[in-house]
Amino acid sequence: MTTVFFSYSHRDELLRDQLETQLAMLKRQGVIETWHDRRIVAGEKLDGSISAELRSAEIVLLLVSPDFLASDYCYDKEMTVALDRQARGEAIVIPVILRPCEWHHAPFGKLRATPSDGKPVTQWPDRDVAMLDVVKDIRKAAGRFVNPAPSHPEPGRSVSSTTAVASHPRSSNLRLAKSFTDRDKDRFRVEAFEFLAKYFENSLLELAQRNDGIDGDFRRIDTNRFTAAVYRGGKAITRCTIFMGGGFSTNGISYVDGETMESNGYNENLRVDADEQSMFLRSMGMRSFGGQSEEHLTLEGAAEIYWSMFIARMQGDK
C-alpha cells in the first residue's frame, strides 16, 4: 500500500478534506493510505511525527496556495525534504494547485502540476471535476509503487498470509460534518462578489485587447454594486449590473440586464449554500428554460455563468 502525505496550510483544510473524500475509492481498494498532521494523536510530538511520516511516504502532495507559499513550515521544512527525497528517487512529489498563486517560480515550479495545466482547483466550474483530475494523477503515481508479490518465499524468511500492518494503524474514516455560521456565509458572499468584480474587470480588458473596435467599461458603483458595458464602434452592445442581495434574496448576488440602481428585480440570482463539508454558490436557474438550477458552483463557475449571460447578446449581434 502506498502512503500519501499531505503537505498543506491549515487555511486550506477544507479543500484538503474534499480531496481526501475523492480518494475514498483508492483507499477502499487498498492502493493508498493517507496521512496528514490531523492524524497525530494526543501525546505524540508534532515535529517528530510529521518528519517520520514525511520521510517514509512514497507520494507527497504539496497542496499549493498563497498560504502554503507563505508558510515557513510548509515551504522550508516539508517541501524541501520532499524535493530532496524525490531527487534521490525515494518519493514522488505532486504539486496540487488549490488556489491562484505564483507557484511557477517555486522550487517545484518545473514539476508537472495537477489539475490539468496547473489550473487552480477553485477556478474550475465544478470543483468535484477538478478533484477527480487530481485523483487520477495520484492513482497513476501510486501505480509505480505496486510490485507483485513473489510466488515463492525467500529461503529463511516467513511469509504472513495477511498484509503487513502499519506501525500506527488508524481508520481513514475520520471525516466529520462541518457547520457554517451566518458570519461564514456572509464572508463567503463578499469573497464571491469581489471575485465577480475582478473577473468582469479583467475579462473586459482582455476582450478589448483581442478585438479591434471594441471598448469595455467597468464601473464600481459602491462596495455592493458594479456595472459592465461593451461598445462596438462607440455603440453600446450589452450592459449589466451585478449587486449584492436582490428581491427576497438576502444572501445572494444578483444579475440584471442593463444598468440600474434598483435592487428589487433581477434576471438571475446566485445564493450562498453549504453542505456538510463546504460552502458554494447555487443558481436559481432563471436564465435556463424550465428553471433548472446549477448547484455546487465554484467562484469561477459562478462568474462564468454571469459573464456568459452578459456576452451572449454581443456574440449574437451581427
Side-chain angles (χ1 to χ4, degrees), residues 51-68:
S51 179
E53 296 290 344
L54 177 58
R55 293 184 182 279
S56 64
E58 289 89 357
I59 297 175
V60 179
L61 303 180
L62 306 180
L63 303 191
V64 184
S65 71
D67 291 300
F68 176 91

Side-chain angles (χ1 to χ4, degrees), residues 45-307:
K45 293 183 178 180
L46 290 174
D47 284 351
S49 297
I50 294 172
S51 179
E53 296 290 344
L54 177 58
R55 293 184 182 279
S56 64
E58 289 89 357
I59 297 175
V60 179
L61 303 180
L62 306 180
L63 303 191
V64 184
S65 71
D67 291 300
F68 176 91
L69 297 179
S71 168
D72 291 340
Y73 197 95
C74 292
Y75 196 92
D76 295 332
K77 293 187 177 181
E78 294 181 348
M79 182 196 70
T80 300
V81 172
L83 293 178
D84 285 346
R85 293 192 63 227
Q86 173 160 282
R88 296 193 299 269
E90 298 173 355
I92 296 175
V93 177
I94 303 177
V96 180
I97 313 304
L98 297 182
R99 297 188 281 132
C101 56
E102 198 177 18
W103 64 273
H104 293 89
H105 298 284
F108 56 83
K110 293 184 179 180
L111 297 180
R112 181 184 176 277
T114 187
S116 297
D117 301 320
K119 181 177 180 179
V121 168
T122 56
Q123 291 194 343
W124 285 59
D126 188 324
R127 193 168 294 179
D128 284 340
V129 174
M131 292 295 189
L132 179 58
D133 207 48
V134 175
V135 170
K136 290 178 179 178
D137 283 330
I138 294 172
R139 180 181 286 275
K140 290 178 183 177
R144 295 170 58 180
F145 294 97
V146 177
N147 295 314
S151 56
H152 301 287
E154 296 179 14
R157 292 185 60 184
S158 61
V159 179
S160 172
S161 61
T162 60
T163 303
V165 179
S167 59
H168 298 288
R170 55 185 174 268
S171 171
S172 62
N173 184 19
L174 302 172
R175 183 166 60 96
L176 301 178
K178 295 180 172 61
S179 60
F180 300 97
T181 66
D182 290 339
R183 180 58 174 153
D184 293 331
K185 293 179 179 179
D186 286 345
R187 284 174 173 164
F188 183 77
R189 184 168 64 121
V190 171
E191 178 186 356
F193 182 78
E194 293 300 327
F195 183 90
L196 283 166
K198 185 58 66 176
Y199 194 93
F200 265 72
E201 185 176 14
N202 291 339
S203 298
L204 285 168
L205 289 171
E206 186 70 18
L207 185 69
Q209 290 175 3
R210 292 192 182 192
N211 299 275
D212 293 337
I214 294 296
D215 289 317
D217 179 61
F218 173 88
R219 285 188 295 139
R220 188 66 182 258
I221 307 302
D222 54 36
T223 56
N224 296 321
R225 183 183 302 262
F226 68 85
T227 65
V230 173
Y231 304 86
R232 175 180 286 147
K235 177 184 176 181
I237 302 172
T238 181
R239 302 176 190 267
C240 77
T241 303
I242 295 177
F243 59 93
M244 301 273 268
F248 298 103
S249 175
T250 58
N251 75 334
I253 302 172
S254 297
Y255 176 100
V256 176
D257 287 326
E259 294 186 7
T260 179
M261 294 300 294
E262 300 296 328
S263 301
N264 295 323
Y266 45 83
N267 299 104
E268 181 60 278
N269 182 268
L270 300 169
R271 62 184 178 87
V272 178
D273 207 342
D275 55 21
E276 292 184 344
Q277 294 299 314
S278 64
M279 291 180 289
F280 49 86
L281 294 168
R282 186 194 302 272
S283 77
M284 292 186 66
M286 298 174 66
R287 73 188 182 101
S288 59
F289 181 77
Q292 183 177 0
S293 64
E294 297 182 64
E295 303 179 354
H296 288 74
L297 289 167
T298 62
L299 300 186
E300 177 87 6
E304 191 58 31
I305 283 179
Y306 278 179
W307 177 259

